Amino acid sequence: MRVAMLTGGGDCPGLNAVMRAVVRKGERIYGDELVGFVDGWRGVIERKLRPLSVETFRGTLPRGGTILGSSRTNPFKLDGGVEACQRAMQEERIDALIAIGGEDTLGVAAKLHDLGLKVVGVPKTIDNDLSATELTFGFDTAVQIATEAIDRLHTTAESHHRVMVVEVMGRHAGHIAVWSGIAGGATMILIPEEPFDIEVVCEALKKRHAAGNYASIVVVAEGAIPKEGSLQLASRERDQFGHVRLGGIGNTLAEEIEERTGFETRVTILGHVQRGGTPTAFDRVLATRFGIAAIDAVHDGAFGQMVALQCGNIVRVPLTAAVGQLKTVDPDLYHGVAEYFFAG
Ligand code: F6P
């Protein structure tokens, strides 16, 4: 078979590991010819593709990013975009496509599958907010990076008796904030799922410091929102999938905390550091398992399906199940742990 791959959306540690596994099994076991569309769906529309082989992926297992490149292009938002994708598959003689991405990339894959495209999905996002899979690769790496940062901020916070606000990624879901916040012993964790009241945050900090604690760490997901009327946030531009470009809640929060409590406050925005660099061992293994499962799915004709992790096993689920609804933080995990921290 002639099998194509693409990587779409934000990059993620482990993307190369997925493709390496696909190519290894595809070429060596199934005798496939592998190609890659460059820069996500944009490469399909613009017909930019390159041959891929076992050789192409030598040395890439520990390498972050994606050697194929990525973009946030949405064919359904471009004139003739869908037709261009369909033509590309026919004229480039692609028998099957493996789309590696998050809700946006896989959402496009699901819609194109409805129009006849032979596609298999692989779930990717450091945010870990895709439904139907317990974990996405990249999440473990992001949590590790954020936890290390929080560990480091503890000592400088204590030395200066400061409040440290740490902004982590997480547009619609606070998985990174909750996991790194718990692992790093944060004082407070603010996530998009639970709008926060700035007054409650500041009162809790005052209570904690009055009780003799001399420093605090507040972990905030970039998509965290204040309760209505609590705090005003600036409006921002949107991408082709309609997502607001985030980043900045940390600054607003730090300013408010300092003003309302009088405690010296600093902010660290981790940003894309969480997405860059080498994947953890866990993510390399998960990515490799997903890659093997994806090429197997192609050869079983399991189109319109996504490979997923459930109860430790790799399974197949309909693409629509993965992109229908975001997976948010388990309220038991948040309330059972985060509220405990709020107490002091
Ligand atoms: O989708 C993953 C993610 O890392 C989000 O957490 C973040 O909001 C977004 O990507 C940032 O996107 P970009 O790299 O396009 O600024």
Side-chain angles (χ1 to χ4, degrees):
M1 286 176 93
R2 187 163 147 92
V3 181
M5 288 191 275
L6 66 80
T7 54
D11 71 330
C12 183
L15 283 166
N16 293 321
V18 173
M19 293 190 283
R20 172 182 172 272
V22 169
V23 167
R24 285 194 164 225
K25 189 153 189 191
E27 192 177 296
R28 290 183 171 165
I29 306 296
Y30 292 115
D32 291 333
E33 182 192 348
L34 278 304
V35 294
F37 283 108
V38 172
D39 297 341
W41 293 113
R42 191 199 301 150
V44 186
I45 292 168
E46 294 177 1
R47 216 62 88 73
K48 287 195 180 138
L49 70 172
R50 54 178 283 198
L52 299 175
S53 67
V54 170
E55 285 310 310
T56 317
F57 285 94
R58 287 232 184 271
T60 61
L61 182 58
R63 187 164 151 189
T66 160
I67 65 165
L68 268 190
S70 191
S71 73
R72 293 195 185 277
T73 302
N74 181 353
F76 287 87
K77 289 279 172 198
L78 298 174
D79 270 353
V82 172
E83 296 71 24
C85 288
Q86 290 171 317
R87 259 201 320 278
M89 300 301 284
Q90 274 170 13
E91 291 172 12
E92 299 296 341
R93 297 173 295 102
I94 307 294
D95 297 309
L97 173 70
I98 297 176
I100 311 166
E103 49 154 342
D104 298 330
T105 305
L106 298 183
V108 169
K111 287 203 249 171
L112 288 175
H113 173 257
D114 287 345
L115 298 173
L117 200 97
K118 290 184 173 166
V119 59
V120 164
V122 176
K124 163 248 61 161
T125 165
I126 65 160
D127 291 352
N128 197 33
D129 58 1
L130 269 177
S131 290
T133 185
E134 280 159 15
L135 286 172
T136 47
F137 63 89
F139 173 63
D140 185 66
T141 306
V143 169
Q144 189 63 36
I145 293 167
T147 303
E148 277 170 23
I150 296 168
D151 286 348
R152 286 174 189 279
L153 289 169
H154 269 291
T155 56
T156 171
E158 286 158 16
S159 303
H160 291 270
H161 318 299
R162 282 174 175 160
V163 176
M164 288 287 182
V165 173
V166 189
E167 184 185 302
V168 297
M169 279 188 168
R171 192 159 26 200
H172 308 293
H175 298 286
I176 297 175
V178 168
W179 280 69
S180 64
I182 294 171
T187 312
M188 257 180 223
I189 303 164
L190 307 177
I191 59 174
E193 294 89 332
E194 302 276 343
F196 65 89
D197 185 327
I198 187 69
E199 213 31 62
V200 173
V201 169
C202 292
E203 282 313 307
L205 288 173
K206 281 193 220 161
K207 193 171 132 208
R208 174 182 156 82
H209 285 230
N213 291 295
Y214 42 86
S216 294
I217 305 272
V218 179
V219 175
V220 58
E222 62 179 345
I225 39 169
K227 275 190 176 149
E228 218 179 310
S230 161
L231 195 62
Q232 197 60 38
L233 296 181
S235 59
R236 292 163 187 263
E237 61 180 292
R238 290 176 185 271
D239 67 17
Q240 278 188 6
F241 286 93
H243 299 300
V244 171
R245 188 163 298 150
L246 295 172
I249 179 74
N251 284 321
T252 311
L253 193 62
E255 277 167 26
E256 286 292 324
I257 289 174
E258 188 164 275
E259 201 176 303
R260 291 173 188 240
T261 64
F263 302 142
E264 207 181 352
T265 306
R266 294 288 189 270
V267 60
T268 302
I269 298 177
L270 290 180
H272 292 79
V273 166
Q274 293 158 97
R275 255 174 37 192
T278 188
T280 58
F282 180 88
D283 279 337
R284 294 181 205 184
V285 173
L286 182 60
T288 300
R289 293 176 75 197
F290 277 164
I292 298 285
I295 192 70
D296 285 344
V298 163
H299 283 272
D300 287 346
F303 301 117
Q305 303 276 304
M306 180 189 88
V307 297
L309 183 76
Q310 288 181 5
C311 300
N313 300 313
I314 306 291
V315 298
R316 293 174 192 162
V317 296
L319 273 170
T320 43
V323 299
Q325 205 186 348
L326 281 178
K327 182 181 71 199
T328 50
V329 169
D330 177 358
D332 286 345
L333 179 64
Y334 184 72
H335 291 294
V337 184
E339 279 187 352
Y340 164 77
F341 288 120
F342 265 69

